[in-house]
Amino acid sequence: MTMPSPQASGNSYTFDGTASARDRRPVGIALLGYGTVGSEVLRLLKSNEETLEHRIEGPIELKGVAVSDASKPRTGVDPELVTEDAMGLILRDDVDVVVEVIGGIEYPRKLVLAALEAGKSVVTANKALVAAHADELARAADEHGVDLYYEAAVAAAIPVVGMLRRSLAGDQIQRVSGIVNGTTNFILDAMDSTGAEYSETLAEATELGYAEADPTADVEGHDAASKAAILASMAFHSRVKFADVSCEGITQITAEDIEAAKEAGYTIKLLAICEKIVDASGQPAVSARVHPALVSREHPLASVSGSYNAVFVEAEAAGNLMFYGNGAGGAPTASAVLGDVVGAARNKYLGGRAPKDLTYAQLPLAQFGDVPTRYHIDLRVHDRVGVLADLAATCASRGISLKAVRQEEDYEVNGHRAARLILVTHTAREQDLADFVANLVESDDVLEVSSVIRLAD
Amino acid sequence: MTMPSPQASGNSYTFDGTASARDRRPVGIALLGYGTVGSEVLRLLKSNEETLEHRIEGPIELKGVAVSDASKPRTGVDPELVTEDAMGLILRDDVDVVVEVIGGIEYPRKLVLAALEAGKSVVTANKALVAAHADELARAADEHGVDLYYEAAVAAAIPVVGMLRRSLAGDQIQRVSGIVNGTTNFILDAMDSTGAEYSETLAEATELGYAEADPTADVEGHDAASKAAILASMAFHSRVKFADVSCEGITQITAEDIEAAKEAGYTIKLLAICEKIVDASGQPAVSARVHPALVSREHPLASVSGSYNAVFVEAEAAGNLMFYGNGAGGAPTASAVLGDVVGAARNKYLGGRAPKDLTYAQLPLAQFGDVPTRYHIDLRVHDRVGVLADLAATCASRGISLKAVRQEEDYEVNGHRAARLILVTHTAREQDLADFVANLVESDDVLEVSSVIRLAD
């Protein structure tokens, strides 16, 4: 694909006097990877060619597409542009912007670093790479005066990166809570609608293509944890890595949990929660975690259905904001990639720099045990005098206060007359709540603890 | 307020080599207006001083605050900074970025133009000004190589401008539908919850401070029309002005309309709709309009409650996106203004330019009569043989096809035995549908047309 020169398309481009003395040759693009996302990126580059050049205020030209096996037949790409030599393509003098949509970590890390070190701006959609190595990549971008863009790495087409880095640049973020994994939202939403168990819903999701053959990264929350690391880093200007995120998936959620949540006016969502807290020593710290949470049916996140994603932001001046859309898929991801390509190419023409990966705040990471949370506990106790009083005393002795207690009679557990108790706590230290639950499990009064789920607020 | 120099605050700032040879003196800010928004802007400038300078990558300094009466007592601002000479402040050599939060059209227009012509970047929250004069202002910004920012002009803290101009810069927008006026959403939502009539709900909204003493601009849709003009211009890269927007308010919406909508699974929202259509001659054109519309209860816009705003975007590759938040108020508006100030100040240090007000597509404006719409018509007809057949024939002769017809017996209108008919049309030309309704009103078969509301889809 060759883009027309400005003259050929009849447009006139104005160039800002402050830009470097770069000549007006097209900004050269290298595309690394030609899978689901890469092929969509190329399709959009071609079909939106004219509009892209208007928005960039100058021409762009695709210089090559790097793939692992050039001999494989491919549609939609000129075979002369295809190469197996990714590094050679990156280092070409006429390549200015490198688009990385390969996936994985080590190989793209090497390529992205080489690109930045060679003075090329990089656009990546690779959440695992950014969540693991953003510090190294950001430093390289900084040292070599180029841009590192990764809008597509979090929630695909939902522009959370731009929103946190630019739109809210004058504000202070307090909390970000996101539904950032489509597979798990599809499963939880289906369980909520049908009352089915987790395993059968997962099977259905796999059949429909919403879950991969090996769904571990999604259902265990690892994918969401990568995004939580990136969101927390941006929101609080501190470095949070994938390994720093506490992570709990949805595999333990039962139909009974969903039913109990419904009765109480909640729905269960897998949330990535990033917030600024005050730690045990009274210092501010960042908490980044992924776990299932009870979301009130009145909350905007509750209505995010199917495989949609949404990110809810609480900011000091802006108040509550929510961004909703497709969090995955070739075309939505490619849309975000192309938005970044426009930004990177524009900066090559007009000068200027993308907002940086700032970590000036350097907030320490909170231990999950120190984070304030709230529990919704569903348990069966012996139906005898004094049980509730005992429980209340245990709570009080542990400094845990209850917001709501609901008791239902006439259950039977293993031949014992039982009462069902639902306890909703006020906010307390996560570790204190976890210890309280461990204590409940051991208690002679308690027949079973059937469900423990954190509340979102 | 004086911002510390980089040395004083212990930070080191790096400056890009491509930036102009501007010395490193602080970027000077002039604030025009000190009302609800202006005072919040100043509060945030002060309280977020250190973080702003990190994000800007250099220091900023407030040079003055222009007000109409400097003698009035004010809190939160150093009296020495206050001046009645807005023009003098703008033209000071040490002012680089002018923030306009005065309101009105003619006076701020003069000031903003003067600022742009003097080479100062401008941040404005003034939707009326932008909707009326964006072409003139954008031209001045272009000619003088400076930036014109107006994120706060549409839906306050919801970053729709950044999203349309940057995040979706690689995509093609098909349609933007927004709840962009908090007052009317509050009223419609309250009518929906309580079943009350429009007039009593408006009175309640006024009492609670959600509606102004003279609510005309809100309830007649004029405020939403300004935002529709701005959204349509950005989405379709064509110039749409306030006067180009077809506009219908909510004053005719009755409790009965709301009830009928509920029965059919809808809620009524005042929508600003911007879309690319194919006009009668087969050419693409832009439609920008504001009118009440039936929104399916399953649609994300339906759950936008109270005075919240939301903008729903349909894009070719990104798919459906929604942005939700506070669409008005001092702090949310100031948050958006400060985000723009960071962008403008950053460009002063690092070079580069904000995305421009591009109108390269130059799509013509569609006549409202040519726009494809759908009607939901609620009417009472004589309960006699052949009435439905007559109506169906009328539809067919006008090329209007019905998607759904529902009939209920046993009504009485002015002593006549009547049936209630609810007609839901397929998409047709707006003018054809309007003519069809006019014909119904005249028809001998029809006793009354009790409600006509367009569908959102």
Side-chain angles (χ1 to χ4, degrees):
Chain A
M1 182 184 63
T2 307
M3 302 289 189
S5 73
Q7 288 69 29
S9 69
N11 305 313
S12 67
Y13 298 100
T14 55
F15 292 84
D16 188 278
T18 61
S20 64
R22 176 181 286 279
D23 51 272
R24 297 184 191 188
R25 69 162 174 77
V27 166
I29 313 282
L31 178 61
L32 313 184
Y34 196 71
T36 316
V37 176
S39 55
E40 277 295 313
V41 167
L42 188 47
R43 186 184 68 77
L44 291 179
L45 265 178
K46 285 182 185 175
S47 67
N48 294 344
E49 185 176 327
E50 200 185 319
T51 52
L52 286 173
E53 297 193 352
H54 279 291
R55 296 169 194 182
I56 289 166
E57 300 182 45
I60 54 175
E61 193 171 310
L62 181 70
K63 298 297 182 181
V65 180
V67 298
S68 56
D69 177 2
S71 66
K72 222 172 93 180
R74 291 183 173 77
T75 54
V77 55
D78 177 352
E80 291 193 4
L81 288 172
V82 176
T83 173
E84 291 177 9
D85 180 11
M87 196 60 89
L89 174 62
I90 289 168
L91 298 177
R92 272 173 61 163
D93 280 345
D94 57 356
V95 164
D96 307 285
V97 176
V98 174
V99 178
E100 187 274 304
V101 288
I102 302 174
I105 297 188
E106 279 315 312
Y107 180 55
R109 174 190 179 192
K110 205 178 74 175
L111 297 177
V112 166
L113 273 176
L116 296 169
E117 284 162 6
K120 327 274 166 147
S121 288
V122 170
V123 175
T124 176
N126 191 328
K127 60 187 164 282
L129 174 64
V130 177
H133 298 294
D135 47 357
E136 183 186 35
L137 304 181
R139 202 165 44 239
D142 233 34
E143 278 169 15
H144 298 275
V146 290
D147 292 332
L148 172 66
Y149 284 89
Y150 49 83
E151 182 62 78
V154 186
I158 311 177
V160 287
V161 176
M163 181 262 299
L164 289 172
R165 282 190 164 175
R166 292 186 190 269
S167 314
L168 290 168
D171 210 326
Q172 302 291 344
I173 312 282
Q174 293 156 332
R175 196 170 202 254
V176 179
S177 334
I179 295 169
V180 292
N181 179 272
T183 303
T184 47
N185 202 57
F186 179 88
I187 293 171
L188 292 173
D189 188 36
M191 287 175 75
D192 191 274
S193 320
T194 63
E197 281 295 348
Y198 169 73
S199 55
E200 43 179 317
T201 314
L202 171 62
E204 192 203 336
T206 311
E207 200 171 311
L208 293 171
Y210 286 106
E212 293 186 40
D214 176 0
T216 313
D218 293 316
V219 300
E220 296 294 356
H222 303 157
D223 172 82
S226 285
K227 294 160 183 168
I230 301 173
L231 288 170
S233 300
M234 286 189 299
F236 305 113
H237 301 91
S238 301
R239 181 61 64 203
V240 181
K241 295 188 169 201
F242 171 74
D244 300 327
V245 180
S246 320
C247 182
E248 200 180 299
I250 63 163
T251 57
Q252 305 303 314
I253 301 291
T254 63
E256 198 187 345
D257 291 336
I258 303 262
E259 186 53 36
K262 248 188 195 172
E263 281 169 28
Y266 296 102
T267 181
I268 300 178
K269 297 291 188 189
L270 182 69
L271 295 187
I273 299 176
C274 311
E275 61 181 344
K276 203 174 182 173
I277 66 156
V278 175
D279 74 7
S281 62
Q283 296 303 307
V286 171
S287 163
R289 55 193 197 266
V290 170
H291 57 69
L294 293 169
V295 176
S296 160
R297 298 231 168 228
E298 307 296 308
H299 193 283
L301 284 172
S303 58
V304 176
S305 63
S307 65
Y308 274 98
N309 281 197
V311 177
F312 191 82
V313 177
E314 296 159 62
E316 195 260 317
N320 296 340
L321 294 165
M322 191 175 84
F323 303 82
Y324 161 100
N326 288 304
T333 308
S335 171
V337 166
L338 263 286
D340 281 351
V341 167
V342 170
R346 248 185 130 254
N347 286 351
K348 292 287 179 187
Y349 279 116
L350 305 177
R353 292 287 307 281
K356 283 186 191 168
D357 233 52
L358 297 169
T359 53
Y360 60 82
Q362 296 188 16
L363 293 177
L365 209 82
Q367 294 302 308
F368 187 40
D370 287 334
V371 169
T373 59
R374 285 178 65 200
Y375 274 27
H376 183 279
I377 308 165
D378 192 349
L379 68 166
R380 303 290 176 277
V381 297
H382 284 287
D383 192 5
R384 59 189 183 207
V385 175
V387 168
L388 191 55
D390 286 356
L391 269 179
T394 311
C395 282
S397 72
R398 293 177 168 273
I400 288 164
S401 78
L402 297 176
K403 185 174 183 192
V405 178
R406 193 154 63 90
Q407 180 168 354
E408 291 171 12
E409 310 291 328
D410 293 330
Y411 279 76
E412 202 186 277
V413 177
N414 302 329
H416 297 276
R417 265 185 61 223
R420 178 188 188 191
L421 270 186
I422 293 170
L423 309 178
V424 182
T425 75
H426 276 293
T427 301
R429 252 182 97 238
E430 165 66 25
Q431 191 60 56
D432 293 343
L433 288 167
D435 292 347
F436 171 59
V437 169
N439 184 269
L440 287 178
V441 171
E442 297 300 312
S443 163
D444 289 341
D445 289 339
V446 174
L447 287 159
E448 75 181 18
V449 175
S450 45
S451 147
V452 179
I453 303 181
R454 294 180 191 90
L455 281 97
D457 59 343
Chain B
M1 181 186 61
T2 307
M3 302 288 190
S5 73
Q7 288 70 30
S9 70
N11 304 313
S12 67
Y13 298 100
T14 55
F15 292 84
D16 188 279
T18 61
S20 64
R22 174 182 286 280
D23 50 274
R24 297 183 190 188
R25 70 164 174 76
V27 166
I29 313 281
L31 178 61
L32 314 183
Y34 196 70
T36 316
V37 177
S39 54
E40 276 296 313
V41 167
L42 188 46
R43 184 183 69 77
L44 291 179
L45 265 178
K46 284 182 186 176
S47 66
N48 294 344
E49 184 175 327
E50 200 184 318
T51 52
L52 287 173
E53 298 192 353
H54 279 292
R55 297 170 194 180
I56 289 166
E57 300 183 44
I60 53 174
E61 193 171 310
L62 182 70
K63 297 298 183 181
V65 180
V67 299
S68 57
D69 177 3
S71 67
K72 223 171 92 179
R74 290 182 174 80
T75 55
V77 55
D78 177 352
E80 291 192 4
L81 288 172
V82 176
T83 172
E84 290 177 9
D85 180 13
M87 195 61 88
L89 174 61
I90 290 168
L91 298 178
R92 273 171 60 163
D93 280 346
D94 57 356
V95 163
D96 308 284
V97 176
V98 173
V99 178
E100 186 275 304
V101 289
I102 303 174
I105 298 188
E106 278 315 311
Y107 179 56
R109 174 190 180 193
K110 205 178 74 176
L111 297 177
V112 166
L113 273 176
L116 296 169
E117 283 161 8
K120 326 272 167 150
S121 288
V122 170
V123 175
T124 175
N126 191 328
K127 59 186 164 284
L129 174 64
V130 176
H133 297 295
D135 47 357
E136 182 185 36
L137 303 180
R139 202 164 45 239
D142 234 32
E143 278 169 17
H144 298 276
V146 289
D147 292 334
L148 173 65
Y149 284 90
Y150 48 83
E151 182 61 80
V154 186
I158 311 177
V160 287
V161 175
M163 182 261 300
L164 290 173
R165 283 189 165 177
R166 292 187 191 268
S167 315
L168 290 168
D171 211 325
Q172 302 291 344
I173 313 282
Q174 293 156 334
R175 196 169 201 256
V176 179
S177 333
I179 296 170
V180 291
N181 180 271
T183 304
T184 47
N185 201 57
F186 178 89
I187 293 172
L188 292 172
D189 188 36
M191 287 175 75
D192 191 274
S193 321
T194 64
E197 281 295 346
Y198 169 75
S199 54
E200 43 178 317
T201 314
L202 171 61
E204 192 203 336
T206 312
E207 200 170 310
L208 293 171
Y210 287 105
E212 293 185 40
D214 176 0
T216 313
D218 293 316
V219 300
E220 296 294 356
H222 303 157
D223 172 81
S226 284
K227 294 161 182 168
I230 300 173
L231 288 170
S233 299
M234 285 190 300
F236 305 113
H237 301 91
S238 300
R239 182 62 62 203
V240 181
K241 294 187 170 201
F242 170 75
D244 299 327
V245 181
S246 320
C247 183
E248 202 179 298
I250 64 161
T251 58
Q252 305 302 313
I253 301 291
T254 63
E256 198 187 346
D257 291 336
I258 303 264
E259 187 52 36
K262 250 188 195 173
E263 281 169 27
Y266 296 103
T267 182
I268 300 178
K269 295 290 188 189
L270 182 70
L271 295 187
I273 300 175
C274 310
E275 62 181 343
K276 203 173 180 173
I277 66 156
V278 175
D279 74 7
S281 62
Q283 295 304 306
V286 171
S287 163
R289 55 193 197 267
V290 170
H291 58 69
L294 292 169
V295 176
S296 160
R297 297 227 169 232
E298 307 296 309
H299 193 284
L301 284 172
S303 59
V304 176
S305 63
S307 64
Y308 273 98
N309 280 199
V311 177
F312 192 81
V313 177
E314 296 160 62
E316 196 260 317
N320 296 340
L321 294 165
M322 192 175 85
F323 303 81
Y324 161 100
N326 288 304
T333 307
S335 171
V337 166
L338 262 286
D340 282 351
V341 168
V342 170
R346 246 184 132 255
N347 287 351
K348 292 287 177 187
Y349 279 115
L350 305 177
R353 292 286 306 281
K356 284 186 190 168
D357 233 52
L358 297 169
T359 53
Y360 59 82
Q362 297 188 15
L363 293 177
L365 209 82
Q367 294 302 309
F368 187 40
D370 287 334
V371 170
T373 59
R374 286 178 65 200
Y375 275 26
H376 183 279
I377 307 166
D378 192 349
L379 67 166
R380 305 290 176 278
V381 295
H382 284 287
D383 192 3
R384 60 189 184 209
V385 175
V387 167
L388 192 55
D390 286 357
L391 269 179
T394 311
C395 282
S397 72
R398 293 177 167 274
I400 288 164
S401 78
L402 296 176
K403 184 171 184 197
V405 178
R406 193 154 63 91
Q407 181 169 353
E408 293 171 10
E409 309 291 325
D410 293 329
Y411 280 76
E412 203 186 277
V413 176
N414 303 330
H416 296 277
R417 264 185 63 226
R420 179 189 186 189
L421 270 187
I422 292 170
L423 309 179
V424 182
T425 75
H426 276 293
T427 301
R429 254 183 95 239
E430 164 67 26
Q431 191 59 56
D432 294 343
L433 288 167
D435 291 347
F436 171 59
V437 169
N439 184 270
L440 287 178
V441 170
E442 297 299 314
S443 161
D444 290 341
D445 289 339
V446 174
L447 286 158
E448 75 180 21
V449 175
S450 45
S451 147
V452 179
I453 304 183
R454 293 179 192 91
L455 281 96
D457 59 344

